């Protein structure tokens, strides 16, 4: 059975659950789908638990009685025994983000340096800000993205005051550290042709990374 079909089966089961059982199962679903559990294994486990819960409900049992008081704790215990997704995709994302940011930075520097000789100087502190900022942006987006329990796929970012505040704090801290480092780290001269060459290599590398599976 395909993952998509399993998701449809799970949704069908949820529609047959009582409100309390459905709310309990929703928390389990969201927690499993937001974890690093392999998608196919996670959906298979959720389908089995949904069938088990529906059968128990028909006998008059509740999700709390069947799985325990805390749905998050129940899901966490299951996650430990389920196969996890490989970290390669996440690592690739954290590598790709600063790579893209630096490629565009050197492209812009190179284009400016074609017309302004002063633009051939670049602070290592500024480049560090670019790298850290790109990584921080990925981290923020990863934390703000959730999975939709109805579809089992990533949904639009869900914002809240705490998430926005934490994200701004991280970005501000990176900016402050970068400004301090700019006073300490040296300024180097990068000829326009070298900036453009670095940008070209960077864009070529992105193409390779994006094509790899």
């Amino acid at each position: 059975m395909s993952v998509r079909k399993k998701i449809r089966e799970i949704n069908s089961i949820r529609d047959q659950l009582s409100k309390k059982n459905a709310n309990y199962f929703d928390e389990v679903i969201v927690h499993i789908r937001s974890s690093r559990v392999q998608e196919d294994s996670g959906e298979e486990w959720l389908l089995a638990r949904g069938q088990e819960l529906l059968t128990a409900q028909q006998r008059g049992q509740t999700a709390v009685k069947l799985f325990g008081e805390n749905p998050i704790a129940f899901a966490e215990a299951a996650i430990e025994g389920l196969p996890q997704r490989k970290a390669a995709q996440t690592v690739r994302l954290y590598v790709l983000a600063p790579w893209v940011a630096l490629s565009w930075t050197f492209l812009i520097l190179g284009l400016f340096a074609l017309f302004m000789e002063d633009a051939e100087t670049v602070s290592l502190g500024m480049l560090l800000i670019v790298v850290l900022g790109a990584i921080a942006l990925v981290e923020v987006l990863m934390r703000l993205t959730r999975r939709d329990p109805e579809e089992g796929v990533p949904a639009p970012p869900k914002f809240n005051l705490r998430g926005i505040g934490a994200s701004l704090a991280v970005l501000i801290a990176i900016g402050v550290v970068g400004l301090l480092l700019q006073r300490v780290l040296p300024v180097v001269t990068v000829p326009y042709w070298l900036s453009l060459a670095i940008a070209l290599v960077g864009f070529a590398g992105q193409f390779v990374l994006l094509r790899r599976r």
Side-chain angles (χ1 to χ4, degrees):
M1 185 185 299
S2 68
V3 170
R4 188 62 67 176
K5 188 172 181 181
K6 289 176 185 175
I7 292 171
R8 287 198 295 267
E9 290 288 334
I10 292 168
N11 289 339
S12 176
I13 290 172
R14 287 174 63 252
D15 291 340
Q16 301 175 61
L17 296 175
S18 66
K19 184 176 180 180
K20 287 186 177 180
N21 284 344
N23 288 339
Y24 185 106
F25 195 39
D26 279 346
E27 291 196 54
V28 176
I29 290 173
V30 171
H31 203 68
I32 293 294
R33 289 177 178 168
S34 300
S35 71
R36 291 189 52 79
V37 170
Q38 289 180 8
E39 187 176 25
D40 186 64
S41 298
E43 298 305 327
E44 184 175 349
W45 183 87
L46 286 171
L47 179 57
R49 300 293 77 73
Q51 292 168 339
E52 186 178 350
L53 177 56
L54 183 59
T55 300
Q57 177 178 279
Q58 293 168 350
R59 296 198 301 263
Q61 286 185 307
T62 63
V64 170
K65 185 174 181 181
L66 182 63
F67 299 135
E69 292 284 344
N70 191 333
I72 303 301
F74 173 64
E76 281 288 347
I79 288 171
E80 294 180 3
L82 291 171
Q84 306 292 302
R85 293 196 304 269
K86 294 181 180 179
Q89 291 293 334
T90 302
V91 171
R92 186 181 304 170
L93 185 59
Y94 281 99
V95 171
L96 187 60
W99 194 319
V100 171
L102 286 174
S103 298
W104 280 102
T105 298
F106 278 106
L107 176 62
I108 293 170
L109 288 173
L111 292 175
F112 271 105
L114 281 172
F115 306 100
M116 296 181 295
E117 190 174 331
D118 291 343
E120 290 190 338
T121 59
V122 57
S123 168
L124 294 182
M126 186 272 286
L127 295 180
L128 185 60
I129 291 176
V130 171
V131 171
L132 294 179
I135 294 174
L137 182 60
V138 170
E139 182 65 22
V140 168
L141 292 176
M142 293 277 284
R143 288 179 179 276
L144 293 179
T145 302
R146 73 196 191 288
R147 281 181 176 264
D148 188 340
E150 293 288 341
E151 297 295 336
V153 297
K158 181 179 182 180
F159 297 99
N160 55 64
L161 291 177
R162 180 179 297 179
I164 292 173
S167 304
L168 288 176
V170 170
L171 293 175
I172 290 172
I174 290 174
V176 171
V177 171
L179 290 174
L180 293 174
L181 288 175
Q182 276 190 309
R183 299 181 179 182
V184 178
L185 295 176
V187 174
V188 296
T189 299
V190 183
Y192 76 89
W193 59 267
L194 182 56
S195 291
L196 294 177
I198 292 173
L200 182 61
V201 171
F203 288 124
Q206 292 168 41
F207 180 76
V208 173
L209 283 175
L210 290 172
R211 284 183 62 87
R212 290 185 62 186
R213 295 178 180 270

